[in-house]
Amino acid sequence: MSSSNDAPVTLAGIARIAGVGRAAVSNWRRRHVSFPMPVGGTDTSPQFSLSEIERWLYAHGKIERIGLRERLWPHYEALGDRAVMGAALAEAGRRLLAATGVDQAAPEHSLLSDEAARVMNETVDVARYEGERETFTFLLTRWLDAHVRQVGTTPAPLARLMADVALAVRAEEDRGADGRITVLDPACGVGGLLLAAGEGMAERSADADPGTTALIGTELDSVLAALAEVRLGFADAEGGSGVVRIKAGDSLRADPNDGVRADIVLCNPPFNARDWGHEELATDPRWVYGLPPRTEPELAWIEHALARLAPGGVAVLLLPPAVASRRAGRRIRGALLRTGALQGVVALPAGAAQPHSVSLQLWILRMPVSEGSAASGERLFLLDAATSHGATRGAQGIDWPQLTSRVLDAVRAYDWSGERKAAGKQLPEGTVTVPVVDLLNEQTDLTPARHVPETAVDAQAKLHESWGRLGGLLDEVRNHSQSLAAIDLSVGSEALSTITVSDLHRAHALNLQQGQTLPGELLHGDALPDGAVPALSVPDLVLGGQPGGWLARAEVERGASTGSFTVAEPGDVVVAGVERAYRVWVQEDAPLVLGPQLYALRPDPQVLDPWFLAGCLSASANARQAGSHTSSSARIDVRKLRVLQLTLVEQRPYAAAFRELLALEESLRSVASVGEALVRSLGDGLAAGKLRSLRP
């Protein structure tokens, strides 16, 4: 890749190339006068010449070799538009597949500009050395990370779980008339569910002849459809699963795969998509169980999946929990139960997939083998894995092996045949089967937690974990207290001079930035996924101190470059400029987007120690002196806060003491939070008569 086609690269891009954190790159920039000058961007989000950065990294021993794939990605970023980037990658993947001997149909139309075509050709060149599938997969992962807000995906462990559930429920010996098992995803995105199904079938049929599985998908976004086709094409080239067919189209309005009758349907449909075609599809023959209300698009996807199943086929859909209880869908839920089409609901822990803030559900559906084969008095399989111990910590903390084992053990223990021979069989804890007649009431609420009592094991495990956390926090408090108790404040009675934050800012000893209003259309309120940047507001501090949302990294970098976002980087001091939520801390580990009335102070490390600065600013007397009570919000004028005037050497012991003091404050705050939750949980258990032993 020649320097004549140089691409701009951000600080985050440099960090990825060098395999370090962004803070390390910022340190290089401050410490080395030879670090390349920006060629674009803004002061808060500068852009650099990729070729100049490469030469500097080599010259300073920061990296021995930059992979060709890493050098490719900034060129994709420079294309800007998501669709153009994706189309260039899809076309590159199509050509790479052709090089492996897989026939690929030419696209009906091309979105490629001259620049995009050049990047595509460079990708094909690089793949000769880096590997065709490896190069495509690397770039696809980067593309998905950069557009996490616009392109939703099913996490790989969840996709595999959904595929394994479908395979466990379905009678494996039953195949289509042509001897092939057909898997359909009517909203396939980039093909994650179909890929998981292909892998699951390959493992279960290792000795079977190639060509026993057909993977068929439909996707509204033509770029995603093209990427899915290439992705599955590479997998098929290695595993020989058989047929791969992805079509671009609207499954609900004009399904290009309307003639397919699948043995398995897997789907993670778009949530809350109100414009799904309610009026124009009012007389559609797929609505066997009733016309879905306009506000219930997920029910339309359920009925669509059932319409595409062959007799005896199984569908597994990932749905929001409200589908199980919303009043508007009660009639259709009842019809699904009475006909035996709905056979199970599994509640997953929050964080399993987007939206991460809620406990999503797997709905297990099956098309009867023959009309009228479902018997009255049939039971519904319900599993509440949302409170599974070790799987309740959100997107970053789910123990996928444990969760997968729990769900599959329960599914495999149940007899899914129409006879329900195992209706009275002992099932794992957290699993029940409920007679359909007991569910057909005014609510027809199918939420597993309403019918599955919390297991004693889970309740005790939660208590044990809470006691462990409390004990650890109390140890932290004790350790910090012992260090701080040795401080003697009786010496040094002579008053020291101080300087305001405003004066320090003017003297370039620190850089002061004020947080800005966070755009609601870009801000997500669920749990933090990989590659996203947390966003903090003053209400978040009031409600508990944790970031209440997040933004896609690409959006943050773009906003920082235009000055519309304020980002606190590791090493910055963050101040909440409101009296009721006044807090000061040193930002560590990761960047943080700041909302209004939050401030980022970036000290010059040659002049100010960040912990010394944070300690001075956190003093309550300082906040009172800088407070303004002219309005009900009682704001703090951060510019008026004062800092001791000491040399960097003199700041060090103060910094160490302040660091201990701020850590003690955080530990005490955590003790209060954990303690309140533990008392509430233990009190509820005792009030429910769950006491098993009483120690004297």
Side-chain angles (χ1 to χ4, degrees), residues 148 156 250 314 319 327 371 405 557 662:
V148 64
D250 188 332
V314 174
L319 301 172
R327 185 171 183 82
E371 187 174 349
S405 176
E557 292 177 353
L662 292 171

Side-chain angles (χ1 to χ4, degrees), residues 90-321:
E91 180 59 25
R94 191 178 288 109
R95 296 193 182 190
L96 295 176
L97 260 180
T100 66
V102 177
D103 292 334
Q104 288 287 293
E108 296 180 3
H109 60 278
S110 176
L111 297 175
L112 299 191
S113 62
D114 291 342
E115 181 65 13
R118 182 186 64 78
V119 175
M120 180 269 296
N121 289 328
E122 289 174 343
T123 304
V124 174
D125 291 340
V126 165
R128 296 192 185 117
Y129 304 96
E130 300 279 332
E132 287 85 0
R133 184 177 186 181
E134 293 79 5
T135 299
F136 175 80
T137 301
F138 171 86
L139 293 171
L140 177 61
T141 300
R142 282 290 171 84
W143 184 80
L144 290 172
D145 289 343
H147 303 97
V148 64
R149 175 178 170 268
Q150 300 97 331
V151 182
T153 58
T154 307
L158 177 57
R160 183 56 190 269
L161 174 60
M162 292 173 65
D164 286 345
V165 167
L167 291 168
V169 173
R170 181 184 172 277
E172 296 185 42
E173 64 274 10
D174 293 341
R175 294 178 179 268
D178 57 359
R180 173 181 292 136
I181 294 178
T182 299
V183 183
L184 171 69
D185 184 348
C188 69
V190 292
L193 284 170
L194 292 173
L195 184 65
E199 292 172 349
M201 292 299 301
E203 291 180 9
R204 290 166 177 261
S205 308
D207 299 327
D209 295 333
T212 57
T213 304
L215 304 178
I216 300 174
T218 308
E219 172 53 45
L220 183 62
D221 187 321
S222 60
V223 171
L224 299 185
L227 290 168
E229 186 171 28
V230 173
R231 187 185 189 191
L232 293 166
F234 275 118
D236 184 57
E238 291 189 5
S241 61
V243 174
V244 172
R245 188 172 76 236
I246 308 296
K247 293 184 178 181
D250 188 332
S251 288
L252 294 183
R253 285 188 169 93
D255 187 6
N257 287 314
D258 62 350
V260 172
R261 292 299 175 266
D263 302 293
I264 293 174
V265 173
L266 301 174
C267 189
N268 178 1
F271 295 168
N272 297 320
R274 299 298 175 88
D275 184 23
W276 57 270
H278 174 262
E279 289 78 11
E280 61 199 270
L281 298 174
T283 60
D284 195 285
R286 286 172 294 181
W287 313 142
V288 174
Y289 307 91
L291 172 64
R294 184 185 63 81
T295 57
E296 297 283 338
E298 293 85 6
L299 293 177
W301 286 100
I302 289 173
E303 295 201 62
H304 172 80
L306 287 166
R308 295 294 175 263
L309 282 177
V314 174
V316 177
L317 278 72
L318 181 68
L319 301 172

Side-chain angles (χ1 to χ4, degrees), residues 624-645:
R624 286 195 302 271
Q625 181 272 332
S628 171
H629 298 275
T630 57
S631 69
S632 59
S633 61
R635 298 184 180 182
I636 304 294
D637 189 342
V638 174
R639 294 169 181 80
K640 293 182 180 179
L641 293 172
R642 306 193 71 85
V643 180
L644 290 172
Q645 284 190 290

